[in-house]
Amino acid sequence: MRAEIQNITQEIETSLDLLRQRLGWETAQHRLEEFNARVEDPNLWDDPTKAQKLMRERQALVDALDTHNAIKQDLSDNIELIEMGDAEGDADVVAEAETALKALHKRAAKKELEALLNGEADANDTFLEINAGAGGTESCDWANMLARMYVRWAEKRGYTVELQSEQSGEEAGIKSAAYKISGHNAYGWLKSESGVHRLVRISPFDSAAKRHTSFSSVWVYPVVDDDIDIEVNPSDIRIDTYRSSGAGGQHVNTTDSAVRITHHPTGIVVTSSEKSQHQNRDIAMKALKSRLYQLELDRRNAAINEAHDAKGDAGWGNQIRSYVLQPYQMVKDLRTLVETSDTKGVLDGDLDQFMAATLAMDVSGKSRAEAQGE
């Protein structure tokens, strides 16, 4: 077996080791038997919410076990084919099996990465907020570019995107926008995007065609499950109604009524611009509870808390990623040092390499090496 294929085989086996560790392999089958016993309980659906949660947890375990077993079986089958092809001198069989192993390597690496999404709220839907920072009209246009980038990323993954609120810029772009992105592990993938994003380009708004630097901030926090009880004291909030001013567009459904809720103890402000004031109030309260839940997650996890503290204002010195379109083409993440010259692809939503690198470096305070060594 060639050295390259031996290395690929070893890396697939390493991925399988991590999958087993994150699954709690020793007890996984026992837990599945417990789930199956509870599913057969005739009183299960007396509480539909708990029943649905149980079914989701069971299915997640089944999927994880199936994924591990399928990768392990494919690895064994292809190694056997290579050994058989070598023994019989059949180069075509060897080449076909090696190609299959390379594809399996990518699949195993992806599943290994997804296994790191084991934070308390990683599997949840997420809220995504974008706010223009230093740079005036330039930053409002940059905020709009970021919104488009994240919407495209989410749509490529098959996630559902709902605009919660939007405030247009005075001349172009948006001052702020808030989205709800729904899909499995939406928060787990997007949480690494919280921070300041910096753009360098020739300004389309400058008649002298000078190079400008713009900043916008992104904040990601999980949608809390219905069974998570977050108490909000009515005396701690102020509810205002106003007319929304979104610019409209392909992904935007703007209306004439909106609700803003201000939480006085924390200073959190959430808005919603949907079809009715009653609906807006409900959505805004859910967003507020999610923000309060995020604060609690931050307090529990010092590493995440430190990252939020370091985010700072949307200006110089606080960025997590730079997008340079002039005088050269480069997007570089300043935390992981992952970079690419495919700026168009990134702005069209090709963000997985940056999210993957951040997850591998530090997910819930654990590096990839630490996760493997647990």
Side-chain angles (χ1 to χ4, degrees):
M1 190 182 296
R2 293 189 299 119
E4 178 192 4
I5 298 302
Q6 287 180 335
N7 290 335
I8 288 175
T9 298
Q10 290 173 359
E11 290 181 7
I12 294 173
E13 289 174 344
T14 298
S15 294
L16 286 170
D17 285 341
L18 181 60
L19 288 174
R20 284 192 290 269
Q21 290 170 27
R22 305 315 277 181
L23 260 173
W25 189 255
E26 295 78 8
T27 63
Q29 192 61 45
H30 177 66
R31 283 183 282 125
L32 180 58
E33 291 171 359
E34 288 184 341
F35 275 129
N36 291 337
R38 293 170 66 185
V39 166
E40 293 174 1
D41 184 350
N43 299 319
L44 173 66
W45 290 96
D46 290 349
D47 187 334
T49 301
K50 288 186 177 180
Q52 290 171 1
K53 181 181 179 182
L54 174 66
M55 297 300 289
R56 286 195 301 268
E57 291 175 349
R58 178 189 175 278
Q59 191 60 48
L61 179 58
V62 169
D63 291 345
L65 288 168
D66 288 348
T67 294
H68 170 275
N69 294 335
I71 293 174
K72 183 179 179 180
Q73 186 62 53
D74 287 348
L75 176 61
S76 176
D77 290 346
N78 284 294
I79 290 175
E80 185 177 339
L81 281 174
I82 291 174
E83 291 174 346
M84 182 179 69
D86 284 338
E88 298 178 358
D90 192 333
D92 289 340
V93 169
V94 172
E96 184 178 346
E98 288 183 347
T99 299
L101 269 182
K102 291 176 182 178
L104 182 63
H105 181 221
K106 293 180 180 179
R107 178 179 158 211
K110 180 180 178 181
K111 293 302 180 181
E112 173 191 344
L113 192 61
E114 290 177 354
L116 294 175
L117 292 168
N118 68 332
E120 183 173 351
D122 281 355
N124 290 26
D125 300 339
T126 190
F127 289 112
L128 171 76
E129 291 185 5
I130 301 170
N131 292 281
T137 299
E138 288 288 339
S139 288
C140 288
D141 189 53
W142 173 222
N144 195 47
M145 291 169 65
L146 284 173
R148 174 184 177 275
M149 179 180 77
Y150 287 117
V151 167
R152 291 205 167 192
W153 173 85
E155 290 176 342
K156 287 179 180 180
R157 280 189 165 267
Y159 290 165
T160 300
V161 181
E162 302 172 61
L163 181 71
Q164 304 291 294
S165 64
E166 183 181 83
Q167 184 179 7
S168 299
E170 294 179 2
E171 297 181 29
I174 57 173
K175 290 183 179 179
S176 65
Y179 295 89
K180 179 183 177 184
I181 299 177
S182 303
H184 184 59
N185 285 333
Y187 173 67
W189 284 114
L190 277 168
K191 66 182 180 183
S192 64
E193 295 299 295
S194 285
V196 176
H197 297 247
R198 169 178 174 256
L199 173 70
V200 180
R201 64 171 175 173
I202 297 296
S203 170
F205 307 101
D206 186 342
S207 58
K210 292 183 178 180
R211 192 163 68 242
H212 284 245
T213 299
S214 310
F215 300 91
S216 289
S217 66
V218 174
W219 193 0
V220 178
Y221 50 98
V223 175
V224 296
D225 293 332
D226 291 338
D227 59 344
I228 296 176
D229 186 21
I230 304 293
E231 292 186 7
V232 177
N233 190 333
S235 63
D236 287 341
I237 61 174
R238 184 181 75 245
I239 301 177
D240 300 308
T241 59
Y242 63 99
R243 289 185 178 273
S244 63
S245 58
Q250 181 179 359
H251 302 289
V252 179
N253 181 22
T254 57
T255 61
D256 290 334
S257 68
V259 169
R260 178 191 295 115
I261 299 180
T262 303
H263 187 249
H264 297 299
T266 61
I268 291 173
V269 178
V270 293
T271 59
S272 178
S273 310
E274 283 292 332
K275 297 178 180 179
S276 71
Q277 201 172 104
H278 176 76
Q279 187 178 16
N280 287 334
R281 185 180 297 239
D282 181 58
I283 291 172
M285 280 301 297
K286 287 182 178 178
L288 173 60
K289 289 183 177 182
S290 293
R291 290 280 294 270
L292 294 174
Y293 180 56
Q294 178 68 54
L295 289 179
E296 176 60 26
L297 289 179
D298 289 347
R299 280 190 284 268
R300 296 181 195 175
N301 192 314
I304 295 177
N305 194 42
E306 182 180 350
H308 273 279
D309 290 343
K311 187 179 75 169
D313 296 329
W316 284 104
N318 298 313
Q319 62 266 20
I320 62 168
R321 189 176 302 144
S322 289
Y323 306 70
V324 181
L325 307 184
Q326 182 69 27
Y328 54 89
Q329 301 275 316
M330 182 67 67
V331 179
K332 182 173 183 177
D333 194 286
L334 305 180
R335 301 160 298 178
T336 62
L337 302 184
V338 170
E339 61 183 41
T340 178
S341 59
D342 183 16
T343 56
K344 182 179 184 301
V346 171
L347 293 174
D348 279 339
D350 295 340
L351 297 169
D352 286 359
Q353 60 182 315
F354 298 108
M355 296 177 182
T358 306
L359 268 176
M361 178 189 73
D362 187 3
V363 57
S364 296
K366 301 180 183 69
S367 69
R368 178 180 184 274
E370 290 170 336
Q372 288 177 325
E374 282 186 347

